[in-house]
Amino acid sequence: MSTSSPPSRRPGLPLRARLATTVGGAAGRASRLAGRGDGSVIGGVIGLRLEPDLLSLLARGRSVVLVTGTNGKTTTTRLIAAALGALGQQVASNAFGANMEAGLVAALAKAPDATMAVLEVDEKYMPAMLGATTARVVTLLNLSRDQMDRAAEIWLLARRWRAALASADCRVIANADDPLVAWAAEEARHVTWVAAGQRWHDDSWCCPNCGSHLLRDGEDWHCGECPNRRPQVSWVLAGDEVIDPTGGSRPLDLILPGRANRSNAVIALAAAEVFGVGVAQALSAMRQVRSVAGRYTQVRRRGCDLRLLLAKNPAGWLEALDILAPAPLPVILAVNAQVPDGRDTSWLWDVDYRRLRGRPVFVTGERQLDLAVRLEADEVAFRMVGSVDEAVDCAHGGSMDVIANYTAFQQIRAVLGRTA
Ligand SMILES: [Zn+2]
């Protein structure tokens, strides 16, 4: 991964593409030296200006795994990369979530000799990135509202996925418990169906095939009007265990907490199997993952142990609330509404905050008032604070969880130091 190594020793990369990766890499290094993040995106942007086909040229000859969905992309990407690392070969990956074309270019350019790549891809860009990388495996986690997306936009996305996957020759690993994902993957040539669970049902009550009401019976679902139903699964998340296609079960003893991460892990195991990495081997590699781009990181601050949780949308808040330390341990909630978060905070009303009753709750962030109104309505007692430090001082030591949405999370990480 050394940035001083030649831009590419892979055979067949044309001169123009080599030049583009060199110039892009130099721009990325300059940006890093100037203190502007990790510089990967700017390097990719410049590389693409010089060679618009750079992504497909860089992907050529590699086995690429694409990971997409509304929630869990970054973590699943990390888990798959860890599992494939067990094969002893270098794996290229955009580990810090730069998931549009420039981020993918940067990840591949940084690892010219890696024969495998695990790449997180923004939901909207998946069809184009699938075309450019001719990925061997595409994993579909879930589809729900993010930021200001409306249901109609999610349906449009599912339709685009469906069209792209129907005409591609890749293996699709798809979550059968999400009806929109199942519909999107239905016409793909090779599908591995995974019962990875769906905690958030609110965006999938209608049949994507005919628009009728979907009927649910436990994990099972089917349409009352057309033949659309949950596919037969070969991998299952059953409580704290994974059941593999042979019927063998094994505890999913990850360091990463919560059901959402166990769900990500089962999908990752199914993806790893395509490359011949068995469950035991993959799991032992995945157990080394303790935090993902700062998430789940434990930070000691003014005598208090803080654990950082990211929650970007209603489904993400549900998952974060699920893994909170038990009451009466305090919690800090931080909400912003900058462009990456979505300007509209009305989604706060889709989250049930009542389970926060009975513990100290601190509210911060640029839109703390919006969250305060929401908590009032759920009769959750809280205290407004100007910063995480103020909350820590009020709590007098011990430990606390911090749940923050995207830019609030980045601000808190900047204050606490990037420890992971
Ligand atoms: Zn239907």
Side-chain angles (χ1 to χ4, degrees):
M1 292 282 252
S2 161
T3 48
S4 59
S5 62
S8 177
R9 288 190 295 275
R10 295 169 58 71
L13 201 59
L15 181 62
R16 191 183 171 85
R18 288 212 303 273
L19 178 70
T21 53
T22 307
V23 174
R29 281 192 294 282
S31 170
R32 257 192 310 281
L33 289 172
R36 300 194 182 142
D38 79 342
S40 61
V41 175
I42 185 69
V45 167
I46 290 172
L48 282 164
R49 286 267 171 85
L50 295 169
E51 173 52 77
D53 287 333
L54 193 52
L55 180 58
S56 56
L57 291 167
L58 285 169
R60 209 159 61 183
R62 311 199 208 216
S63 283
V64 174
V65 181
L66 297 181
V67 180
T68 196
T70 309
N71 285 309
K73 290 185 286 289
T74 307
T75 303
T76 308
T77 298
R78 181 70 182 277
L79 291 174
I80 297 173
L84 297 190
L87 294 171
Q89 292 168 38
Q90 197 190 353
V91 182
S93 189
N94 49 348
F96 292 94
N99 62 16
M100 294 185 230
E101 191 174 11
L104 272 59
V105 161
L108 295 178
K110 263 196 284 189
D113 299 323
T115 51
M116 294 182 291
V118 185
L119 302 171
E120 165 183 346
V121 180
D122 182 276
E123 306 86 279
K124 296 179 186 71
Y125 292 84
M126 188 279 278
M129 299 303 103
L130 172 58
T133 61
T134 56
R136 178 168 168 195
V137 176
V138 176
T139 66
L140 308 178
L141 305 173
N142 48 61
L143 256 185
S144 70
R145 266 172 302 157
D146 197 18
Q147 302 157 6
M148 290 168 67
D149 293 342
R150 277 176 271 274
E153 287 159 12
I154 294 173
W155 283 48
L156 193 63
L157 262 183
R159 191 170 305 142
R160 289 195 186 129
W161 284 11
R162 186 176 164 98
L165 294 169
S167 59
D169 188 26
C170 57
R171 157 90 26 199
V172 179
I173 315 279
N175 182 4
D177 291 332
D178 186 321
L180 267 175
V181 163
W183 184 74
E186 190 188 15
E187 298 207 324
R189 273 174 242 175
H190 321 282
V191 188
T192 302
W193 294 107
V194 181
Q198 187 195 33
R199 185 77 172 73
W200 180 259
H201 287 174
D202 289 25
D203 293 323
S204 53
W205 286 108
C206 292
C207 173
N209 196 44
C210 72
S212 304
H213 209 66
L214 280 184
L215 307 169
R216 290 177 184 271
D217 178 14
E219 289 296 317
D220 203 15
W221 55 264
H222 70 275
C223 175
E225 298 293 324
C226 80
N228 188 22
R229 57 168 49 249
R230 180 179 185 253
Q232 204 78 64
V233 297
S234 50
W235 291 82
V236 179
L237 169 62
D240 295 344
E241 303 208 319
V242 54
I243 302 171
D244 66 32
T246 68
S249 70
R250 198 180 284 269
L252 275 171
D253 44 358
L254 304 170
I255 304 287
L256 298 179
R259 187 189 155 91
N261 283 324
R262 289 195 291 278
S263 166
N264 297 334
V266 176
I267 301 246
L269 289 171
E273 195 203 33
V274 176
F275 293 84
V277 184
V279 177
Q281 196 182 13
L283 265 179
S284 92
M286 282 155 54
R287 271 197 293 271
Q288 310 302 316
V289 179
R290 298 173 165 273
S291 71
V292 178
R295 299 158 210 193
Y296 317 107
T297 305
Q298 307 260 3
V299 182
R300 185 123 180 113
R301 181 80 173 172
R302 296 155 94 110
C304 182
D305 288 316
L306 297 173
R307 183 174 61 154
L308 307 186
L309 305 173
L310 173 73
K312 296 188 285 191
N313 46 41
W317 276 83
L318 212 56
E319 289 161 5
L321 293 173
D322 272 350
I323 59 176
L324 278 187
L329 283 180
V331 61
I332 304 174
L333 310 178
V335 171
N336 285 359
Q338 297 184 18
V339 171
D341 307 307
R343 292 279 189 193
D344 180 352
T345 57
S346 61
W347 58 268
L348 289 170
W349 291 84
D350 295 336
V351 182
D352 184 349
Y353 291 95
R354 288 174 297 179
R355 71 171 91 179
L356 292 174
R357 292 174 187 165
R359 69 166 85 214
V361 176
F362 297 95
V363 176
T364 187
E366 295 160 8
R367 298 299 279 268
Q368 63 181 168
L369 277 174
D370 299 8
L371 182 54
V373 172
R374 179 68 193 96
L375 294 176
E376 285 265 356
D378 267 356
E379 295 173 10
V380 174
F382 62 89
R383 179 164 174 178
M384 306 260 268
V385 290
S387 66
V388 167
D389 283 345
E390 190 182 334
V392 165
D393 291 344
C394 293
H396 307 298
S399 63
M400 283 173 115
D401 283 331
V402 182
I403 306 180
N405 71 342
Y406 189 73
T407 63
F409 186 88
Q410 303 306 341
Q411 287 169 351
I412 290 168
R413 274 188 82 200
V415 171
L416 300 181
R418 287 179 181 263
T419 50

